[in-house]
Amino acid sequence: MSTTNLPLSGARLWDSLMELAQIGGTPKGGCNRQTLTDLDSEGRHLLRRWGEAIGCTLTVDRLGNMVLRREGRDPSRKPVAMGSHLDTQPTGGKFDGPLGVLAGLEVLRALHEAAIETEAPLVLINWTNEEGARFSPPMMGSGGAMGIFPEADVLALRDSDGKAFGDELTRIGWRGDADPAGLADLAAYFELHIEQGALLENAGKDIGVVTHALAQAWYEVTIEGAESHGGSPMAGRRDAMMAAAPLMAAIEEIALNAISPAGEPGRATVGRLTVYPDSRNIAPSRIWFSIDTRHGDPAMLARMGSEIRAKAAELSAARGVAITISDFWQSPLTPFDNALVGRVRDAASRLGLPHMDMPTGIGHDAVYVARRLPAAMIFCPCHGGISHNEAESITPAWAEAGLRVLADAVLATAGIAKEK
C-alpha cells in the first residue's frame, strides 16, 4: 500500500528527535539517558504525551515496556508493531534507538492528521533497557517479552550500585500491570535503526534492507601462570600476559580468515581484560578476558571457536600456563521474515531510494522479536559508522528516507481501510 498521500513530515520527525535529545543532553551534543533513571522517566513521559495527543492509548507491562496503540477497523486482527528504544549509553548519541520510536510516532501522527484508518491496529513500542549499559545483559524488555529471559530474573538484576531492576522501575513510576508475554502476540514488527556501521554511507545507499542477524558466540578466557619479578631472568617465566597477547592477536587473524562461501569474514572482539596482580614490576600470574565472535555462517562461527581453542592449547603447552576457555553466551543466526523483508525492499524501490540487502552484526530488539514473530529491520546510514558515541550523527534526509520506507512497509502489512 503506497503512502504517497500520507502527510509524513521529515521536519516534524527531526524536531521531535532534537526535543527528546535535550533530555539527558551532554555538553558534546550526545545523550546520557540510561535506563530506569529519572531522565529515562522524563523521556517516557514526553513520548506518552505525544502519543496520547493523537488519540493513542498507552499500556505499560511489568518490565516497563511502553505500548501506544491506535485502533484499526478490525479489532480482531493482531496488531502490526513498530518500535525501538529511548534509553542510551552513558555517552550515547541522539539517534540510536530514538529514531525507530519517533519514526513510528510520525507514522501514527500522519495517519491521525489524515484521518486514515488501518485494517489492523497499530502499536508503537518503547522497549525497556535495550542498551544494557546500566543493567546487563542488553535487550531485556524485548527478551523478557519474547520468553528469552524469565521475568523474575530481569526484575532481580542489579546495577553496579546494587540497585535492583524491579525496584528502580517502580521508583521512576514505570512498572506497569500488563503481562509482557502479550507482546508475543503481534502480527508483525518493524524496526528502523541507524546502521552503526559505514557500509551504507560508503556504498552511497539510503536504505539497508536487513535480511538476518549474525550468529554470535561469546567466551571468557582465564590464563593462569606464575608471578615473576620484573627483574628476574626471562627464561623459565610462566607469564600469563605473554600467553594472552599472542592469543588475542590470533583471535583477530582467525576472524579475518574465517571466510564463508559467500565471501564474508568473521568478526571478533576482545572487549574486557583484567590482570592479576596488576603491578608494574610483576609478570602477571592470571589474565582474564572476554571474546565476542560473530559470523553470518554458523559453521564458520563454530570453526572460529575451535581454532581459538586450538591456539590456546598450543600456547598453553609452549608457555607452561593453564588456559581455560568457557562458553558465556550464544545467539543463533536469526533470519528476518521473508515477506516483511520483501515489503521493505519493495518500499525502497517504489520510493526510488538507493538500497542494499545486508545483515546486522549488532543485537537489536527486533532480533529477539524475530525468534517468535515475523519481524523486519530497516537501516539508515550514520556518518562514519559512529555510534554509542556523542558524535553519532545522521542527516534529516536519511531519517526521512527511513521513515517513508517504514510507513510504506507497515501500511502494506496493516492495510488501509477507509477515511474516517
Side-chain angles (χ1 to χ4, degrees), residues 81-107:
M82 303 169 282
S84 195
H85 60 97
L86 296 185
D87 67 311
T88 75
Q89 292 287 331
T91 53
K94 300 182 183 76
F95 307 102
D96 173 2
L99 175 63
V101 177
L102 299 186
L105 176 68
E106 177 56 31
V107 174

Side-chain angles (χ1 to χ4, degrees), residues 212-217 254-268 292-304 331-334 359-361:
H212 63 283
L214 302 184
Q216 300 184 43
I254 287 166
L256 292 172
N257 290 332
I259 308 295
S260 72
E264 179 185 16
R267 308 179 190 190
D292 169 339
T293 62
R294 309 184 187 213
H295 209 294
D297 183 331
M300 295 303 296
L301 184 71
R303 180 177 136 184
M304 287 168 60
S331 181
L333 180 77
T334 304
T360 175

Side-chain angles (χ1 to χ4, degrees), residues 1-9 70-73 77-82 103-123 187-191 339-340 342-344 346-348 350-351 376 378 402-420:
M1 179 66 66
S2 174
T3 58
T4 303
N5 298 319
L6 189 64
L8 295 163
S9 173
R70 185 179 194 267
E71 294 299 340
R73 186 194 66 82
R77 286 184 57 172
K78 293 182 179 181
V80 174
M82 303 169 282
L105 176 68
E106 177 56 31
V107 174
L108 299 178
R109 282 170 160 169
L111 290 167
H112 177 75
E113 188 175 299
I116 293 173
E117 185 176 36
T118 54
E119 288 285 350
L122 298 179
V123 298
Y189 175 76
F190 292 90
E191 182 168 347
L340 300 188
R343 285 176 191 151
V344 171
D346 291 346
R350 186 163 45 244
L351 293 165
I378 305 158
L403 163 66
R404 293 190 177 279
V405 171
L406 174 69
D408 204 87
V410 165
L411 294 188
T413 305
I416 291 178
K418 61 183 179 181
E419 292 190 359
K420 292 181 180 178

